Every structure is written in C-alpha cells, then in structure tokens.
Amino acid sequence: MALELINDRDTWDAFVDASPYGLLFHKWDYIAITAQHTGYRLLPYAVYRGDEPVCLAPLYFRSTHGVKTLFSPPPMQAVIPYQGLIPSGEFDTLKQSKREGLMDLIVSDLSAEIDAISPHYLSLTLVPGLVDVRQFLWRGYTAKVRYTYTIDLAQPVEAIWGGFHSKLRSKIRKAEEAGMELVRSRDISMLYTSIAERFSQPDMNIPMISRRYFEDLFRAYPDHLAAYYLYDREGALAGTVATQEYKRFLFWMGAPRIESPHAGNEYLQWLLIRRAKAEDYPIFENIGANTPDLNFFKSRFCSDLRIYMEVCRRDMVGALAEWAYSSIINRPWLKRKVVSYIE
C-alpha cells in the first residue's frame, strides 16, 4: 500500500463515480472550490494497492498562528456534513475479513501521513454507511456519532405517505388545495437571501458562508445542484430549498419558514420526495438530524435515522484552540471579522 497526492481531476472523479460512498461533496471541482473559498490547502490523497487506488481522502490543511489543523470537511456550519474517506467500488463486495484487512492498511497509511503533518487538531467526518472506525480507535483517535434522516424510496409512494405524521398529512392536503407551483431553478438569489436573513438575526450563532461559494458550486454542477421555489396562486414565495441530485436526492439547504397562509415547507418537501421517487433515486436524505430545533419538523416525515461517524484527534494546543473557538470566536460579530469566507 502507498499514499500519494492526486492531481488528476478525471482519475479522481471516475473513482468517486464508481464508489457507493462517493457523493457530490467528494467530486474534484467541489473540493477545489471549497478549499479556495475557505482558505485551506487541499490535500487530495489516494491510497494505492500496487497501481490501483483503493481509497480517496480529501483533506484540508491550515496553519494559523502556529496552530495546525487538518479537516475533512473543513468547518463550514454543516454546509458539507461529511467527506472523509471514499473506499473503492469493490469495498462492499469483499468478505468481512478482507474489508477489515483493507481498512487496516488504509488507516495505517493515512495515520502515518497525519503523524508526519502533526496537526494540533484533526477531524474526519465519514459518510453514512462507513461506520466501522475501530482501526482509528485502536490508533488513539476518538469517535463521535452523528445522525441524518433518510427515506427509502424503494417502497411504494403510498407507504411513504402512510408513514407521515397524521397532522403533517393534513397540512399537505390543505396545501395541495391551494394550487401552489414548484419551480426548479439554478438561480440561488432568493434562496440565499432568505437563509442569510435568518442567520443574520442576533439569536443565531452560525453565520452563513459567502454567496460566491454557492454560485461557484452551482456553475460547476448545473445538473446536480438546484434551487426549488414554491409559489402560491398569487405568485408569493411559500418555500425554498437547495438540493443535491447525484446518486441520492439530498435535501441540502432549507430556508427558514416563510410567512405564508400555506404549509409551504411541508408541501415543498413532499413534492421533492415524490420527484425523487419518480426519478428513481434510491434514497431521499434530509440533513439536519443533529440540530434540535429541526428534529421535530423533520421526524414527522417518519424518516429512517442513520448514523455517520466523526473521528478526531487533538493535543493540548488543539484542545485550547477548540475551546477558544467555541467560547470566544464563535460569535457572529466576531466570526465575521476573523473568518474570511463568511459574509
């Protein structure tokens, strides 16, 4: 096994396309744009077995005032919920013993490189389904459990509807009677304005990422990123959301509830579930299960709760930096001054 940096976009994206764990968050332009806008140095690693890559690991490095950090993904207020490792397409076909042996070799090579970089703080958040992190634990890393909501779209649409909370179904029926129209667009202007207004309020502790970042992503992936706008009969906006449509249908960034006499957010999500089902996506994922204020709304759609893992390692300098960020710097007025990619 050998660990090397890859600078070939086509090789990288072909691997991501072939892996069941590869998502749009992992694609070459996506990680390059993210590094550009966050100010991190991108380290696109590949683990090879002979001449064959068996795993990719997009890492982001930064050294600030002597404090070295290594992330995947970088801290971006859940805009990228996970990245981490991308095993090859054959990984799930291997017997358990061979999977564990391969993962041991992957983590061994990756850990050696991490030791060489010697970050004070490291965080890798893996994709859902890649939950066996024992090889990291045995090497001194700690693990945290994260959550996401999913809906299995292989089941009939009637079964999906029947799993909704009864009050939710009632709201959706009333919204259907209101004759609202769903529009798919590449224009994020109204979506971004709506989200930014909510995040600019004094009670919010998480500012937004810059609009230019999202515009660059939408230009890079016009077929896989979309903004959806729901309008009522009078043409007023009743709901808006951004999605990722690549391998799974991802309910990516939702705007706060818009003042409307209709259940815009509920009806919008139902329309998108039906759309994803009609387009043969296997899974509808609704990010936000780690946010207490969103759980009540999202759980009424009776989504399955899936876990994903974050592995971390920090020394005393990293622990102090983490405390300073969470206790002092993580304030909207101050964060906008010290973090360049937040407007």
Side-chain angles (χ1 to χ4, degrees), residues 7-38:
N7 289 305
D8 187 330
R9 177 180 182 270
D10 292 340
T11 298
W12 182 280
D13 279 353
F15 188 98
V16 173
D17 289 337
S19 171
Y21 298 97
L23 299 175
L24 198 63
F25 298 123
H26 298 122
K27 299 279 276 187
W28 183 266
D29 287 345
Y30 207 109
I31 61 177
I33 290 169
T34 298
Q36 174 189 348
H37 282 270
T38 59

Side-chain angles (χ1 to χ4, degrees), residues 89-324:
E90 69 168 6
F91 184 76
D92 282 351
T93 68
L94 300 175
K95 293 182 178 179
Q96 181 64 25
S97 59
K98 290 187 176 181
R99 274 204 307 271
E100 292 187 13
L102 181 59
M103 185 58 71
D104 179 68
L105 293 171
I106 290 170
V107 176
S108 176
D109 282 5
L110 187 61
S111 292
E113 185 69 10
I114 291 170
D115 290 343
I117 296 172
S118 63
H120 297 101
Y121 189 92
L122 164 84
S123 170
L124 306 177
T125 304
L126 311 182
V127 299
L130 197 61
V131 296
D132 185 359
V133 296
R134 289 173 296 166
Q135 300 296 339
F136 286 101
L137 297 177
W138 294 335
R139 289 169 171 81
Y141 296 78
T142 59
K144 300 177 182 179
V145 180
R146 306 298 186 200
Y147 299 90
T148 187
Y149 289 117
T150 63
I151 297 175
D152 178 8
L153 297 178
Q155 58 184 320
V157 68
E158 294 80 11
I160 297 173
W161 172 259
F164 292 176
H165 192 285
S166 59
K167 291 183 179 179
L168 174 63
R169 293 198 300 266
S170 178
K171 284 188 175 183
I172 292 174
R173 290 191 188 98
K174 291 180 180 178
E176 287 177 333
E177 296 170 358
M180 291 192 282
E181 178 187 14
L182 181 66
V183 176
R184 188 181 193 274
S185 175
R186 295 175 182 172
D187 182 0
I188 66 167
S189 301
M190 286 188 291
L191 171 69
Y192 187 85
T193 298
S194 179
I195 297 175
E197 286 176 357
R198 174 66 181 121
F199 278 83
S200 66
Q201 295 178 15
D203 62 316
M204 292 300 292
N205 201 29
I206 308 175
M208 271 299 297
I209 307 300
S210 79
R211 174 172 170 170
R212 293 184 301 277
Y213 172 66
F214 295 115
E215 289 174 339
D216 285 350
L217 288 178
F218 270 69
R219 276 193 293 269
Y221 298 103
D223 296 329
H224 299 304
L225 295 179
Y228 286 90
Y229 299 103
L230 185 67
Y231 297 96
D232 63 20
R233 281 197 181 101
E234 289 71 38
L237 187 65
T240 177
V241 68
T243 64
Q244 290 192 16
E245 301 167 22
Y246 169 78
K247 294 188 181 179
R248 62 178 63 187
F249 200 101
L250 191 71
F251 199 82
W252 180 31
M253 294 188 304
R257 183 177 295 276
I258 295 173
E259 291 299 327
S260 170
H262 313 294
N265 284 3
E266 291 87 346
Y267 188 48
L268 173 59
Q269 183 156 328
W270 171 232
L271 290 178
L272 292 180
I273 291 171
R274 289 168 52 185
R275 183 186 187 101
K277 169 73 175 174
E279 295 180 359
D280 294 325
Y281 284 94
I283 293 174
F284 182 96
E285 181 175 355
N286 194 342
I287 294 173
N290 299 301
T291 306
D293 292 343
L294 299 177
N295 286 11
F296 178 72
F297 172 77
K298 292 176 181 288
S299 64
R300 290 187 302 168
F301 288 85
C302 202
S303 307
D304 297 323
L305 189 64
R306 298 187 65 188
I307 68 170
Y308 58 97
M309 305 299 296
E310 177 188 3
V311 292
C312 311
R313 196 170 74 181
R314 62 186 182 182
D315 60 14
M316 292 184 62
V317 173
L320 180 61
E322 182 184 36
W323 174 84

